Amino acid sequence: MDAGNGLSLELGKYQKQVNIRLKEMQGQDFVKRLWNKEEDLWMNGNIQSEISNLSMGWLNVASKMLDSLPMVEEFSKTIQREGLSHIVLLGMGGSSLTPLVFQKTFLHKESLGQAFAEGMKLTVLDSTEPEMIKKIENEINISKTLFIVSSKSGTTAEVMALYNYFFNRVVATKGEMAGENFIAITDEGSPLVELALQKKFRKTFINFPDIGGRYSALSYFGILPAVLMGVNVKELLERTLLMIKACGPQVPASQNPGVILGAAIAELAKQGYDKLTYLLPSSLSSFGLWLEQLLAESTGKNDKGILPLNGIPLMGTNAYGKDRLFFQLKLSGKKDDILSERLKDLVSLEHPVISIEIKDELDLGQEFFRWEIATATASAILGVNPFDQPNVQESKKCTDYLLKKIEKDGKLPDMKPTLTEGSVNYYYRLQNSESLPVFNSSNNQEGAKSLMEYFLQLVKPGDYISLQAYLPEISVVNKYIFGLQQYLQKRLHVAVTTEFGPRYLHSTGQYNKGGPNTGIFIQFIGSSASDLSIPDHVYSFGLLKKAQAIGDMEALIKHKRRVILIDFGTDIINGLNSFKQVIERVQPTPKSSLIFYGKKDYAQINVAERIGV
């Protein structure tokens, strides 16, 4: 089905159900009601906040940013005339992912379509990993760097810790003039507004208060960094207005490219195809990170949701279960023979596929908006509120508890490992405990192999495994993590995702705890050989990172999720290699009954047969 505006659907027998849904929505004036911000579209009015007042300003923000563009461009020219040449954006989740898309997508000046002569180099820092912080510090001339402190609430723990660290570094170089190297993007009345005033920041950009973090791509949070790095934002926003018009209140559901997309992904999810698997060219791969947060955090609640699968290695087409909806984003006129052939194979095997073709990278603005409309639409069909994130706060509370323990005792609470193999400690607990944290000891003498064999036999068809790495995001670590991802996906025949903490806490963290209980979580932590202290705090970045990992584990256990935590200590690379060897010794693990067991009921297969012993 060619739905127009670059969107095409290959849904097979499910196209009929999507058409029925669109006809129903048309009869209910869904599009007009969405633009009127009528709360009862989501959960029949059972909403915790006033959606129309607090969360839907993204519908009109593109035109507001066009009006503000001359001021932002003049600001950019001013700071460049003064000799600032590098930008480091300190942010998490919705305040960092859109800038990360721009950073990764517009790598070369010739692709910027510049609106003015020069742009600045942009680096997004959304990690509390000491090695990553030091790496970026070593790459910049700190006196010529503009730091963007980006936080809607002005209280995001990671962002404020990073601010404290770098402000302290700039003070050492510029003294009382340090504030000239800092700007803030935040909401009116946040603590960051007062902080910026006290520390004499160069400027504070007050964002629109009626926009949630993950819907803020086209607001100051996304647009300001794009202008500073030299992207032709005027063209990007003008193209976005065309998509806004195409998705507007006068366009019926059956012709509305955002609503059609949302209806398709929701109806397929209701049929069990709840894992949106990306087929993206490398030049657009960062868009998948942004979409991951938007979809997972918006829809993943009340045991429902759509899980985007970003960075999944390509597999043989017969290796995918009947839980995948495939999404291809492609550039017009640019061929990717591998992805094109894979797409044909998937369609021929009756896998549902959604394709979007864009002219060039400056069409990303309209894709931000199309997917925001689609996500709001899909959430209405699934019966969830797309504008809250109730389970994100749970991990924060667990982390805050641990940080207070550090402030009181000078260290994290002691954790007793389930078992130790060499320098690697394994922590596994099936049920939550009243005290936090408690890990029961084990008399298991078979070591890590037996523990992982037991843990992985919990996997069922339709599940997904999430490798959650609180480790340096560097090439050697990536090689091990992505290698484990590919190996486990081949062995278990379920989706395996890779996520780096603490970034994912502000992205898929909501889905992991609020969505369907189909996740298997393997968390990796390590200790930096040379930690970094956080000014004005008793704990370091390393301890903050560990507290976040353990806090998230406790929140997962509270929701009866299957989770294991593995601590590599200071020798992270040897720890990863040791774990790789453990996994490779594990006996064959469950395979999807849809592929390998035919009509045999998977639940009736005994455990020994499932793990191949």
Side-chain angles (χ1 to χ4, degrees):
M1 172 187 172
D2 184 355
N5 295 93
L7 173 66
S8 62
L9 310 175
E10 295 279 357
L11 306 182
K13 63 183 179 181
Y14 298 108
Q15 184 64 59
K16 181 179 179 181
Q17 183 58 45
V18 173
N19 292 341
I20 291 172
R21 173 67 68 175
L22 289 169
K23 186 176 181 180
E24 290 177 354
M25 297 172 81
Q26 206 155 301
Q28 298 164 354
D29 282 334
F30 175 86
V31 180
K32 288 183 180 179
R33 294 170 63 202
L34 186 152
W35 279 89
N36 286 337
K37 308 173 186 178
E38 296 183 18
E39 293 96 327
D40 61 357
L41 287 178
W42 298 276
M43 298 178 65
N44 298 318
N46 183 22
I47 301 298
Q48 300 300 313
S49 61
E50 296 180 16
I51 289 175
S52 61
N53 293 331
L54 300 180
S55 303
M56 295 191 72
W58 52 272
L59 286 168
N60 309 106
V61 72
S63 58
K64 293 180 181 179
M65 289 309 301
L66 266 174
D67 292 339
S68 300
L69 198 54
M71 176 269 292
V72 177
E73 290 179 345
E74 183 57 37
F75 174 78
S76 178
K77 292 176 184 178
T78 299
I79 61 174
Q80 289 180 73
R81 282 195 297 266
E82 294 182 14
L84 295 175
S85 58
H86 201 136
I87 314 156
V88 174
L89 185 140
L90 312 176
M92 295 297 301
S95 65
S96 66
L97 285 172
T98 306
L100 188 63
V101 172
F102 291 129
Q103 174 193 324
K104 300 289 187 182
T105 303
F106 296 97
L107 293 175
H108 306 290
K109 285 185 180 293
E110 60 267 23
S111 69
L112 293 176
Q114 293 169 311
F116 41 87
E118 292 293 335
M120 303 167 70
K121 182 179 180 181
L122 171 66
T123 299
V124 174
L125 179 55
D126 60 352
S127 173
T128 52
E129 172 59 50
E131 188 167 336
M132 299 303 296
I133 298 169
K134 286 186 288 186
K135 178 177 182 291
I136 288 176
E137 185 178 2
N138 291 335
E139 291 174 351
I140 63 176
N141 180 336
I142 206 157
S143 64
K144 293 184 180 296
T145 298
L146 179 71
F147 293 91
I148 304 177
V149 186
S150 188
S151 170
K152 178 178 172 65
S153 68
T155 60
T156 309
E158 301 95 329
V159 177
M160 300 318 296
L162 291 168
Y163 154 74
N164 283 332
Y165 179 83
F166 282 105
F167 194 84
N168 187 267
R169 291 294 187 271
V170 179
V171 166
T173 302
K174 299 186 66 172
E176 293 182 356
M177 306 300 288
E180 290 185 347
N181 286 60
F182 288 80
I183 64 174
I185 308 175
T186 189
D187 279 3
E188 183 68 61
S190 83
L192 183 53
V193 174
E194 181 62 28
L195 177 69
L197 186 64
Q198 291 175 359
K199 299 297 183 180
K200 300 179 181 179
F201 278 23
R202 179 179 288 268
K203 190 174 180 63
T204 297
F205 290 86
I206 301 298
N207 203 51
F208 308 99
D210 54 352
I211 303 175
R214 58 187 175 275
Y215 291 84
S216 62
L218 297 167
S219 72
Y220 282 109
F221 284 108
I223 294 304
L224 174 61
V227 170
L228 292 172
M229 69 176 291
V231 176
N232 186 347
V233 171
K234 184 174 186 294
E235 176 69 16
L236 182 142
L237 288 173
E238 286 176 346
R239 293 191 195 180
T240 301
L241 292 180
L242 297 177
M243 180 61 70
I244 292 174
K245 183 177 180 180
C247 296
Q250 305 306 319
V251 182
S254 61
Q255 300 172 32
N256 191 303
V259 173
I260 293 171
L261 177 59
I265 60 176
E267 287 302 323
L268 268 293
K270 289 166 72 73
Q271 297 297 325
Y273 294 86
D274 61 350
K275 297 178 181 65
L276 186 70
T277 304
Y278 300 161
L279 298 173
L280 305 180
S282 58
S283 62
L284 297 175
S285 60
S286 59
F287 179 79
L289 285 172
W290 175 85
L291 182 57
E292 183 179 62
Q293 184 199 25
L294 178 70
L295 267 178
E297 197 168 70
S298 296
T299 68
K301 54 205 76 167
N302 301 340
D303 298 319
K304 304 174 184 178
I306 298 165
L307 178 65
L309 298 177
N310 188 39
I312 299 295
L314 287 175
M315 304 288 291
T317 49
N318 66 343
Y320 297 114
K322 298 294 185 182
D323 58 352
R324 306 292 191 101
L325 169 61
F326 291 90
F327 163 54
Q328 181 190 39
L329 180 64
K330 57 184 178 180
L331 289 164
S332 178
K334 294 188 178 181
K335 291 185 178 181
D336 190 322
D337 293 336
I338 294 176
L339 289 181
S340 296
E341 288 301 315
R342 184 56 48 85
L343 200 68
K344 291 178 183 177
D345 292 341
L346 292 168
V347 172
S348 69
L349 292 173
E350 298 184 351
H351 285 288
V353 173
I354 292 171
S355 296
I356 294 176
E357 182 172 333
I358 61 176
K359 178 182 176 182
D360 57 36
E361 291 84 354
L362 290 174
D363 273 349
L364 285 177
Q366 65 182 25
E367 293 312 310
F368 290 144
F369 187 82
R370 187 205 305 259
W371 278 99
E372 287 169 347
I373 288 286
T375 300
T377 300
S379 298
I381 294 171
L382 294 175
V384 297
N385 177 4
F387 307 114
D388 69 352
Q389 48 283 330
N391 302 112
V392 170
Q393 193 62 29
E394 294 174 355
S395 290
K396 292 181 181 179
K397 287 181 179 179
C398 293
T399 298
D400 288 345
Y401 170 86
L402 293 169
L403 293 177
K404 288 177 182 177
K405 293 289 288 184
I406 295 173
E407 291 174 349
K408 179 182 178 182
D409 303 331
K411 63 176 185 177
L412 282 166
D414 292 331
M415 302 191 305
K416 188 173 182 179
T418 304
L419 62 87
T420 299
E421 183 175 82
S423 61
V424 181
N425 289 319
Y426 290 74
Y427 301 91
Y428 174 68
R429 191 169 80 252
L430 185 61
Q431 296 294 332
N432 195 26
S433 173
E434 293 298 321
S435 58
L436 206 172
V438 173
F439 296 92
N440 297 324
S441 61
S442 172
N443 294 320
N444 186 347
Q445 299 299 313
E446 296 184 49
K449 172 181 174 291
S450 294
L451 176 59
M452 291 309 301
E453 206 162 73
Y454 170 78
F455 184 69
L456 291 176
Q457 64 88 28
L458 300 173
V459 178
K460 304 185 299 296
D463 284 346
Y464 68 98
I465 294 177
S466 177
L467 304 178
Q468 300 176 335
Y470 289 82
L471 304 173
E473 204 170 344
I474 56 178
S475 58
V476 63
V477 171
N478 290 344
K479 182 178 179 181
Y480 274 105
I481 297 297
F482 296 145
L484 286 167
Q485 176 190 31
Q486 192 161 11
Y487 183 80
L488 287 170
Q489 185 162 299
K490 287 181 179 179
R491 291 286 297 274
L492 284 89
H493 297 275
V494 296
V496 183
T497 70
T498 58
E499 302 179 290
F500 279 87
R503 178 191 298 139
Y504 79 84
L505 295 177
H506 301 260
S507 178
T508 54
Q510 169 62 43
Y511 182 95
N512 292 338
K513 292 173 279 289
N517 191 356
T518 54
I520 309 289
F521 304 98
I522 303 176
Q523 297 183 327
F524 303 113
I525 60 173
S527 301
S528 176
S530 54
D531 203 351
L532 294 176
S533 61
I534 303 174
D536 303 324
H537 290 76
V538 300
Y539 50 84
S540 64
F541 278 105
L543 284 175
L544 172 60
K545 178 193 68 173
K546 275 199 169 184
Q548 289 175 306
I550 296 168
D552 192 49
M553 181 186 187
E554 293 296 328
L556 288 168
I557 291 171
K558 176 183 175 183
H559 287 274
K560 302 189 185 305
R561 268 41 176 175
R562 296 155 287 180
V563 55
I564 191 167
L565 184 146
I566 302 161
D567 189 347
F568 297 132
T570 57
D571 198 345
I572 291 170
I573 304 306
N574 280 338
L576 280 165
N577 188 56
S578 173
F579 182 75
K580 175 178 176 287
Q581 293 174 14
V582 166
I583 290 297
E584 289 174 347
R585 295 198 307 270
V586 167
Q587 293 291 333
T589 45
K591 300 179 176 69
S592 168
S593 60
L594 295 169
I595 299 171
F596 293 94
Y597 293 113
K599 295 182 179 180
K600 188 173 181 180
D601 185 355
Y602 183 85
Q604 295 176 358
I605 301 169
N606 63 43
V607 170
E609 185 179 347
R610 286 167 63 189
I611 65 173
V613 298

